[in-house]
């Protein structure tokens, strides 16, 4: 029992280290894909899905059942709202931990907003129904898929003339550790995922709090070890408001789905749940639309889309 406890605690710290070292974030991945047509971060996240599958198989928990809200449209609407909130916030569920690891402690407000958003729809929780899903790939084929994704990233980096093998390997190791630790913690200690705990505080126990503290400590440790990777500064009232507002929207969306992008990626896609793939696309659509109407510089693709929709890019 004690050995299992030590493993859980070590995984929590390693998860925080990996999230910060790899800067894992679906918001950053989506914006890089749409603004710069750079799929590197997205391919990296898909590598993580493969490693989550391997971890679940190793624990004997694969395939894992998924619960999504009914009807389907409500779940997809929740996913879209979650994406909008993540974009407003500037980081997804994983990205929040990575940002805290840079010294941007205002992201703790995301958690507060998320919890309040969840309570706002707590009186009306959609009835959940299990989505039938089964194994997608044997773990050996998952490893081949991971290798193919890694090689694809290298080829694309080579074509752009920005190949950095050490950085590419570091990113792959970080996402592998993050995905494997996250999936394992959710199996070994079901009261772990922080979004799940915020949805129902009655589930919180001492170990859950210790795990959360260790995840944050791991992210901060990684930030301190990375040169110029940690800086404390006053964010300004506007950013504080965005963190809270983004978290609030993420909370609303996560109740309607239920879950966040981490659930969709590591527990949905791994077992072929159709709504998981659609939900992930809906999350990305929420991020993309929010980027579309923001005042930031857009890629030619988004600029053209803005013209078609009558949403000219702001100066």
């Amino acid at each position: 029992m004690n050995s299992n406890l030590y493993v859980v605690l070590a995984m929590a710290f390693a998860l925080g280290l990996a999230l910060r070292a790899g800067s894992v974030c679906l918001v950053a991945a989506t914006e890089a894909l749409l603004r710069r047509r750079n799929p590197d971060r997205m391919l990296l996240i898909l590598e993580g899905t493969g490693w989550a599958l391997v971890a679940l198989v190793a624990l004997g928990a694969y395939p894992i059942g998924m619960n999504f809200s009914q009807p389907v449209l409500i779940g997809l609407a929740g996913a879209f709202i979650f994406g909008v909130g993540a974009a407003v916030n500037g980081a997804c569920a994983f990205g929040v931990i990575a940002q805290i690891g840079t010294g941007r402690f205002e992201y703790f407000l995301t958690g507060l907003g998320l919890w309040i958003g969840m309570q706002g729809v707590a009186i009306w929780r959609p009835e959940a129904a299990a989505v039938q899903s089964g194994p997608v790939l044997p773990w050996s084929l998952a490893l081949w898929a991971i290798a193919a994704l890694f090689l694809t990233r290298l080829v694309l980096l080579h074509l752009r003339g920005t190949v950095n093998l050490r950085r590419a390997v570091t990113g792959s190791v970080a996402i592998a550790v993050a995905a494997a630790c996250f999936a394992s913690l959710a199996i070994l200690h079901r009261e772990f995922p922080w979004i799940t705990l915020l949805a129902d505080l009655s589930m919180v126990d001492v170990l859950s709090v210790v795990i959360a503290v260790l995840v944050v400590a791991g992210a901060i440790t990684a930030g301190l070890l990375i040169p110029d990777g940690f800086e404390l500064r006053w964010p300004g009232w506007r950013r504080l408001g965005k963190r809270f507002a983004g978290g609030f929207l993420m909370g609303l969306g996560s109740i309607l789905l239920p879950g966040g992008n981490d659930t969709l990626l590591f527990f949905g896609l791994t077992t072929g749940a159709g709504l998981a793939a659609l939900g992930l696309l809906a999350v990305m659509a929420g991020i993309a639309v929010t980027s579309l109407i923001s005042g930031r510089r857009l890629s030619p693709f988004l600029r053209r889309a803005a013209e078609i929709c009558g949403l000219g890019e702001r100066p």
Side-chain angles (χ1 to χ4, degrees), residues 197-264:
L197 291 177
L198 289 175
D200 186 359
L201 293 180
S202 66
M203 295 172 58
V204 177
D205 57 14
V206 174
L207 183 55
S208 299
V209 175
V210 173
I211 288 174
V213 170
L214 284 175
V215 171
V216 172
I220 293 175
T221 300
L224 292 172
L225 293 175
I226 297 173
D228 301 321
F230 187 90
E231 180 183 0
L232 288 173
R233 61 171 181 255
W234 171 247
W237 294 108
R238 183 171 178 271
R239 287 185 178 178
L240 290 176
K242 288 177 65 176
R243 306 300 171 246
F244 178 82
F248 181 83
L249 291 173
M250 290 168 70
L252 291 177
S254 66
I255 287 291
L256 297 177
L257 184 54
N261 58 289
D262 45 13
T263 301
L264 295 172

Side-chain angles (χ1 to χ4, degrees), residues 125-138:
R125 292 179 182 269
E127 181 181 354
V131 175
Q132 296 299 320
S133 57
V136 178
L137 293 172

Side-chain angles (χ1 to χ4, degrees), residues 63-68 70 129-136 267-268 271-276:
I64 185 172
M66 289 297 301
N67 288 323
F68 289 104
Q70 294 288 4
V131 175
Q132 296 299 320
S133 57
V136 178
F267 300 128
T271 48
L275 189 55

Side-chain angles (χ1 to χ4, degrees), residues 88-299:
V88 171
N89 180 53
C92 66
F94 281 151
V96 166
I97 303 300
Q99 290 289 354
I100 289 175
T102 69
R104 301 179 71 176
F105 291 165
E106 73 266 20
Y107 276 90
F108 281 114
L109 275 176
T110 303
L112 177 61
L114 197 145
W115 176 73
I116 293 177
M118 286 178 165
Q119 305 316 304
V121 292
I123 58 175
W124 180 73
R125 292 179 182 269
E127 181 181 354
V131 175
Q132 296 299 320
S133 57
V136 178
L137 293 172
W139 69 270
S140 56
L141 289 182
L143 292 178
W144 282 107
I146 291 168
L149 288 167
F150 176 73
L151 291 176
T152 300
R153 287 200 301 119
L154 288 183
V155 170
L156 293 176
L157 288 171
H158 175 72
L159 292 176
R160 291 198 304 270
T162 57
V163 176
N164 185 326
L165 184 59
R166 179 179 177 182
R167 185 173 181 179
V169 171
T170 299
S172 290
V173 171
I175 194 66
V177 172
C181 287
F182 181 85
S184 299
L185 282 170
I187 298 301
L188 297 174
H189 187 67
R190 292 184 181 275
E191 290 74 21
F192 153 67
W194 67 284
I195 288 184
T196 302
L197 291 177
L198 289 175
D200 186 359
L201 293 180
S202 66
M203 295 172 58
V204 177
D205 57 14
V206 174
L207 183 55
S208 299
V209 175
V210 173
I211 288 174
V213 170
L214 284 175
V215 171
V216 172
I220 293 175
T221 300
L224 292 172
L225 293 175
I226 297 173
D228 301 321
F230 187 90
E231 180 183 0
L232 288 173
R233 61 171 181 255
W234 171 247
W237 294 108
R238 183 171 178 271
R239 287 185 178 178
L240 290 176
K242 288 177 65 176
R243 306 300 171 246
F244 178 82
F248 181 83
L249 291 173
M250 290 168 70
L252 291 177
S254 66
I255 287 291
L256 297 177
L257 184 54
N261 58 289
D262 45 13
T263 301
L264 295 172
L265 284 164
F266 297 155
F267 300 128
L269 292 186
T270 52
T271 48
L275 189 55
L278 292 176
L280 186 61
L281 290 176
V283 171
M284 294 172 61
I287 296 171
V289 168
T290 306
S291 296
L292 185 68
I293 61 177
S294 71
R296 293 172 291 187
R297 181 176 62 85
L298 302 178
S299 68

